[in-house]
């Protein structure tokens, strides 16, 4: 007899009161996902630059930004999405009003519960509510699990870009999806 997987989680829009939680969650999930391939000491420097509480608070307060948080009643914050307007999208991304998913993560211990798909659907709903016609993101080519997830959610590869991590330069896909 198969064990039923719990799907008890909620997704909500962040407020500036969530800045500390979001900064800690973002740093933890980035390190969890990329720590093995993105070594110290640059990992700590990247986390400090990218997930500073004041910067996260300012991003949440920005009217062109939407941050969504997925929460589990027992575990707390387990995933998030960070979206923003993209007035100058990269080559290959074409639309009249474009949004970028800057970051999108789900705790690895919670994957396979539908959290990522539900969070992405919320991103699509937000994009439509903001009259966007295209949504795009950048994903590491050497992360086949992430590329596969985005493809299952309807994104297609439209280009590539570099991701600078100290002296390490990653080769990323640019993926986009029409949402209108």
């Amino acid at each position: 007899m198969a064990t039923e997987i719990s799907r008890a989680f909620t997704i909500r829009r962040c407020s500036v009161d969530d800045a500390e939680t979001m900064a800690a969650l973002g740093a933890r999930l980035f390190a969890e996902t990329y720590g093995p391939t993105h070594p110290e000491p640059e990992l700590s420097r990247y986390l400090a630059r990218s997930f500073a509480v004041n910067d996260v608070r300012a991003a949440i307060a920005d009217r062109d930004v939407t941050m969504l948080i997925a929460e589990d009643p027992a575990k707390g914050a387990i995933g998030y999405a960070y979206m923003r307007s993209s007035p100058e999208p990269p080559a290959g991304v074409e639309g009249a009003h474009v949004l970028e998913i800057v970051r999108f993560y789900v705790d690895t211990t919670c994957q396979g519960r539908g959290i990522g798909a539900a969070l992405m659907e919320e991103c699509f709903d937000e994009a439509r509510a903001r009259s966007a016609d295209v949504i795009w993101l950048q994903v590491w080519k050497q992360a086949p699990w992430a590329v596969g997830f985005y493809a299952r959610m309807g994104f297609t590869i439209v280009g590539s870009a570099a991701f600078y991590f100290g002296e390490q330069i990653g080769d990323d896909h640019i993926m986009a999806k029409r949402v209108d």
Side-chain angles (χ1 to χ4, degrees), residues 30-39 43:
F30 185 91
E32 176 183 287
T33 304
Y34 296 109
T37 55
H38 293 71
L43 179 61

Side-chain angles (χ1 to χ4, degrees), residues 166-177:
E167 304 219 357
Q168 185 176 339
I169 301 173
D171 189 20
D172 289 1
H173 288 303
I174 300 293
M175 298 182 79
K177 173 184 169 73

Side-chain angles (χ1 to χ4, degrees), residues 15-51:
S15 74
V16 292
D17 294 337
D18 295 309
E20 287 184 31
T21 298
M22 295 303 291
L25 177 66
R28 180 176 67 81
L29 295 182
F30 185 91
E32 176 183 287
T33 304
Y34 296 109
T37 55
H38 293 71
E40 293 292 355
E42 187 55 38
L43 179 61
S44 291
R45 288 191 288 258
Y46 179 84
L47 297 176
R49 279 191 315 269
S50 300
F51 301 102

Side-chain angles (χ1 to χ4, degrees), residues 4-173:
E4 185 176 323
I5 297 173
S6 171
R7 293 193 184 267
F9 61 88
T10 58
I11 298 172
R12 66 176 175 83
R13 187 183 198 111
C14 293
S15 74
V16 292
D17 294 337
D18 295 309
E20 287 184 31
T21 298
M22 295 303 291
L25 177 66
R28 180 176 67 81
L29 295 182
F30 185 91
E32 176 183 287
T33 304
Y34 296 109
T37 55
H38 293 71
E40 293 292 355
E42 187 55 38
L43 179 61
S44 291
R45 288 191 288 258
Y46 179 84
L47 297 176
R49 279 191 315 269
S50 300
F51 301 102
V53 174
N54 287 339
D55 292 344
V56 172
R57 184 176 290 112
I60 293 170
D62 186 328
R63 66 183 194 84
D64 287 332
V65 169
T66 299
M67 279 198 210
L68 302 170
I69 184 169
E71 296 170 305
D72 178 285
K75 295 182 125 188
I78 55 171
Y80 75 104
Y82 169 3
M83 300 170 53
R84 67 180 172 201
S85 294
S86 184
E88 295 182 28
V93 177
E94 306 208 6
H97 184 201
V98 178
L99 293 181
E100 174 189 10
I101 296 177
V102 180
R103 292 192 176 92
F104 189 95
Y105 291 94
V106 173
D107 188 311
T108 57
T109 65
C110 299
Q111 292 176 4
R113 293 176 42 196
I115 297 163
L119 191 56
M120 186 61 76
E121 289 298 334
E122 290 289 331
C123 290
F124 298 155
D125 289 347
E126 176 68 14
R128 285 187 284 272
R130 291 173 61 177
S131 300
D133 54 349
V134 173
I135 192 166
W136 71 276
L137 53 83
Q138 188 169 326
V139 59
W140 192 29
K141 289 179 182 178
Q142 292 181 34
W145 66 91
V147 174
F149 168 76
Y150 296 130
R152 286 189 304 279
M153 295 304 300
F155 286 84
T156 58
I157 297 168
V158 296
S160 63
F163 176 79
Y164 297 93
F165 186 85
E167 304 219 357
Q168 185 176 339
I169 301 173
D171 189 20
D172 289 1
H173 288 303

